Amino acid sequence: MKNGGKALFSRPLDYLREIWNWVELLVITMGCSVLASYFSTQSIIDDVTEHLTTGASAFHLYKRAASWFQVYTYLLGFLVCCTTLKFVRLLRFNSHVHALTMTMRRSLKPITYFVFVVSIILLAFILLANLTLGSSISDYKNLSSSLQSLLVMMLGSFDFDALSEGHRLFGPLIFFVYQVVMQVVLLNMFITILNDVYENEAQIANTEDLKFIEFLKETTFEAAKKVRTLSYGVRRNKSPTERVNSSDIFLQMNSAFAEV
């Protein structure tokens, strides 16, 4: 928290450009909120206990305690989720994980434009469904219900018979056109955007992290080699009697471990 605060106040723009710094800020905020909600809930519970010991009525405090405990549970769930997502950051030394994180970062701008276009197309279908089917089908009686019905329809949950009964021509026509546009055209465009960005990022190696991994491997191998050479030299300098004694000691230790 201290290092994050220093980086935020010293270089705010550079710090906020990194998506994992946003996750870090979210984790810190959620952690503080969880602690605050926990202590608030605990204080209300203490008040309830004092009222019960004195014989006063504490029914009005039960609802507050339950509400704060529910808020505490929700915040704790979000905190666990964000903390688990940070494990992806720990795996950034892997080239595939690095390509995935860079794909998410590089594809933010084209996906934003794509979502803007999808919103316009979805708004057109909402207005069409509301005006043509709103008078006969309750799921399309207003804009909010039409939006909910179309989103659920895109996920595969729909009542085709109700659409046909709502309007014999426009009901099935809206259904088929909407499914083709959303499932075939726009979904494939979304996958294509991610695929192009991923292919470009997969070809760019994470040189700094990969060099760090290679440095760790080389250092570990060199240290193991030096230890092996040193132990071999010490073993050669020992006299035969010391070798026998050391071997007897190792045999006694092995037998003792086996008995344990």
Side-chain angles (χ1 to χ4, degrees):
M1 185 184 296
K2 182 179 179 181
N3 295 331
K6 288 183 178 180
L8 177 61
F9 290 108
S10 61
R11 296 176 288 103
L13 295 179
D14 295 335
Y15 184 82
L16 296 176
R17 287 177 183 175
E18 183 68 30
I19 187 173
W20 293 111
N21 293 334
W22 285 95
V23 177
E24 187 71 24
L25 290 176
L26 188 60
V27 168
I28 294 173
T29 305
M30 288 293 175
C32 296
S33 302
V34 166
L35 290 176
S37 60
Y38 172 78
F39 287 119
S40 177
T41 306
Q42 192 64 37
S43 64
I44 295 174
I45 293 175
D46 294 339
D47 292 340
V48 171
T49 305
E50 291 180 0
H51 280 73
L52 292 177
T53 53
T54 57
S57 177
F59 182 77
H60 63 284
L61 296 175
Y62 288 146
K63 186 176 181 179
R64 288 181 56 194
S67 300
W68 276 107
F69 184 78
Q70 193 173 12
V71 171
Y72 164 76
T73 305
Y74 293 155
L75 293 175
L76 184 61
F78 282 108
L79 177 62
V80 172
C81 179
C82 295
T83 307
T84 307
L85 288 177
K86 288 184 62 178
F87 282 104
V88 179
R89 177 66 175 171
L90 300 177
L91 300 175
R92 66 186 183 275
F93 301 110
N94 186 283
S95 59
H96 299 287
V97 177
H98 177 262
L100 177 61
T101 54
M102 292 302 296
T103 299
M104 296 172 60
R105 182 187 303 176
R106 302 293 184 185
S107 61
L108 181 60
K109 186 175 181 179
I111 287 180
T112 303
Y113 296 149
F114 177 77
V115 170
F116 179 73
V117 175
V118 171
S119 301
I120 296 176
I121 297 174
L122 184 60
L123 178 61
F125 278 101
I126 290 173
L127 296 175
L128 177 62
N130 178 250
L131 293 174
T132 56
L133 304 175
S135 59
S136 56
I137 302 177
S138 60
D139 292 337
Y140 303 94
K141 61 184 178 180
N142 50 39
L143 295 180
S144 60
S145 61
S146 299
L147 173 61
Q148 181 179 357
S149 300
L150 290 177
L151 292 178
V152 172
M153 182 188 298
M154 188 170 57
L155 297 176
S157 178
F158 54 88
D159 189 359
F160 185 77
D161 295 332
L163 293 174
S164 301
E165 293 177 359
H167 198 285
R168 185 175 301 178
L169 176 61
F170 289 111
L173 182 61
I174 292 174
F175 171 78
F176 285 113
V177 173
Y178 177 77
Q179 291 289 355
V180 169
V181 171
M182 290 295 178
Q183 300 286 352
V184 179
V185 180
L186 296 179
L187 183 59
N188 288 324
M189 289 178 63
F190 178 76
I191 295 174
T192 304
I193 292 172
L194 292 180
N195 189 29
D196 291 340
V197 178
Y198 180 79
E199 288 181 355
N200 294 331
E201 294 299 331
Q203 296 175 359
I204 303 174
N206 189 10
T207 55
E208 296 181 358
D209 293 338
L210 293 179
K211 286 181 180 179
F212 180 70
I213 291 296
E214 292 297 330
F215 172 74
L216 287 180
K217 289 181 180 180
E218 292 177 0
T219 306
T220 305
F221 288 149
E222 290 178 0
K225 187 176 180 180
K226 289 180 181 178
V227 171
R228 186 180 300 176
T229 304
L230 182 62
S231 62
Y232 180 72
V234 172
R235 190 178 301 173
R236 289 185 59 184
N237 294 329
K238 286 183 178 180
S239 62
T241 306
E242 291 177 348
R243 295 178 187 174
V244 172
N245 293 333
S246 61
S247 62
D248 292 339
I249 292 173
F250 284 122
L251 290 175
Q252 292 176 3
M253 291 175 64
N254 291 330
S255 62
F257 281 122
E259 291 178 359
V260 173

